[in-house]
Amino acid sequence: MKFIPLLLILLAAAQPALPQDAEESPEALAQYDEARRLLGAGEREEARALLAEATALYPESQRLHQQYAELLWDLSRGTDRKLLKESGRETALALEAGLRAGSVDYQLTRRLADTLGRTGDRQTFERLFQQALARDPSAAVYLDYARGLSLLGDPRAEDAFRQALQLQPEGDAAADYGEWLLDHKRYQEALDVLPGSTPLYYVHFLRGFALEKLKRTEEARQEYAQFRDYSATFPAPARFRIPKSPAQAGIRFQGK
């Protein structure tokens, strides 16, 4: 995954929605707004210090925990284990605050999968996702559950992907399950899962990759052609680059 420091500036500009029943004191909101201002100015270390203090002062504030979790995730670049653990802890606290208010925030379930999946905190991961699924058994939550299980190397990941796909036959569920199948070299199964008729350019790329691996090169070219221009803005994952592939010519990939 590509990490861009600008992300924090964008996050600061977009105030996350809160459940109607969530309680945020004026003092906590003032701290949150100041953190947003600092992030918008690019002063990330100052924002980090403020959020560390503010989350301790206002432990029930979902907004503060969520903002802090996102900042720590960005600083970790997805690899710093200490920062990932801190981000996971803040994400868990934010999600718990939302659950107490009766809602499930999909940004938090995604971040929980990303952080706890990488740090291997199975106990917290399982506990919070079972609560989230009990409250909101939607495709979005099942998909984040599947992503986390996959990062943990848990064999139940495929069942969770299938559940998400059943609830959402096209879109993110098909793309993510398709990626998982491709990562496991199950190319024909991925082709069966990924819809041939879809407005999602990236799904066409994944179909192209599966077809090329199945030696159906001309069909792969046709699928790649529907993604090629789009890749200039959203490059394909580097792990799906096929060395010296003429069919992939012109497609941009992440990384150098």
Side-chain angles (χ1 to χ4, degrees):
M1 181 178 291
K2 186 176 181 181
F3 292 83
I4 306 173
L6 179 60
L7 174 62
L8 264 293
I9 297 175
L10 297 177
L11 285 171
Q15 182 170 312
L18 278 179
Q20 290 184 348
D21 295 335
E23 295 184 1
E24 294 281 345
S25 70
E27 294 81 7
L29 288 174
Q31 294 292 298
Y32 173 75
D33 288 339
E34 176 61 12
R36 289 178 61 218
R37 186 192 69 77
L38 290 169
L39 290 170
E43 299 176 7
R44 297 197 296 168
E45 288 305 321
E46 291 82 354
R48 180 180 179 182
L50 183 151
L51 288 166
E53 183 176 350
T55 50
L57 287 171
Y58 308 103
E60 296 300 313
S61 172
Q62 180 179 342
R63 287 194 185 194
L64 286 171
H65 286 300
Q66 186 165 359
Q67 185 75 285
Y68 194 20
E70 290 299 328
L71 173 56
L72 291 166
W73 166 260
D74 185 75
L75 292 171
S76 79
R77 301 182 68 84
T79 58
D80 186 306
R81 190 172 181 82
K82 181 176 183 295
L83 290 173
L84 283 172
K85 284 185 175 182
E86 293 177 16
S87 179
R89 183 183 64 248
E90 294 299 323
T91 302
L93 291 169
L95 183 62
E96 287 172 331
L99 287 169
R100 287 193 295 271
S103 72
V104 176
D105 186 312
Y106 299 155
Q107 291 181 359
L108 289 171
T109 54
R110 169 63 69 91
R111 185 60 67 234
L112 197 71
D114 288 338
T115 52
L116 301 190
R118 283 173 167 80
T119 59
D121 188 347
R122 293 174 180 270
Q123 183 175 356
T124 304
F125 174 87
E126 195 66 34
R127 174 176 62 84
L128 289 179
F129 263 103
Q130 290 307 316
Q131 292 180 38
L133 286 166
R135 172 68 63 179
D136 180 5
S138 64
V141 181
Y142 268 107
L143 194 52
D144 288 334
Y145 184 46
R147 289 166 175 150
L149 289 172
S150 181
L151 286 170
L152 288 166
D154 193 305
R156 295 174 299 159
E158 184 165 14
D159 287 339
F161 276 122
R162 286 175 174 168
Q163 181 64 39
L165 185 64
Q166 184 176 356
L167 293 167
Q168 184 192 68
E170 297 184 5
D172 288 347
D176 279 38
Y177 185 25
E179 282 188 330
W180 187 90
L181 289 167
L182 293 176
D183 286 335
H184 287 78
K185 304 185 187 307
R186 292 161 58 179
Y187 305 121
Q188 184 58 55
E189 291 174 77
L191 201 58
D192 294 339
V193 164
L194 296 163
S197 177
T198 174
L200 300 177
Y201 299 118
Y202 181 58
V203 170
H204 287 292
F205 168 79
L206 294 176
R207 285 181 56 83
F209 181 85
L211 286 163
E212 187 166 6
K213 285 294 186 178
L214 292 169
K215 309 300 183 184
R216 295 162 61 179
T217 308
E218 189 53 43
E219 293 174 82
R221 289 181 192 274
Q222 295 174 23
E223 295 287 354
Y224 287 146
Q226 299 183 66
F227 174 75
R228 187 169 288 109
D229 290 344
Y230 186 74
S231 73
T233 305
F234 295 97
R239 69 185 188 277
F240 295 135
R241 183 198 300 271
I242 299 176
K244 300 181 180 180
S245 164
Q248 288 187 343
I251 292 177
R252 291 189 61 187
F253 290 85
Q254 294 172 0
K256 295 183 180 179

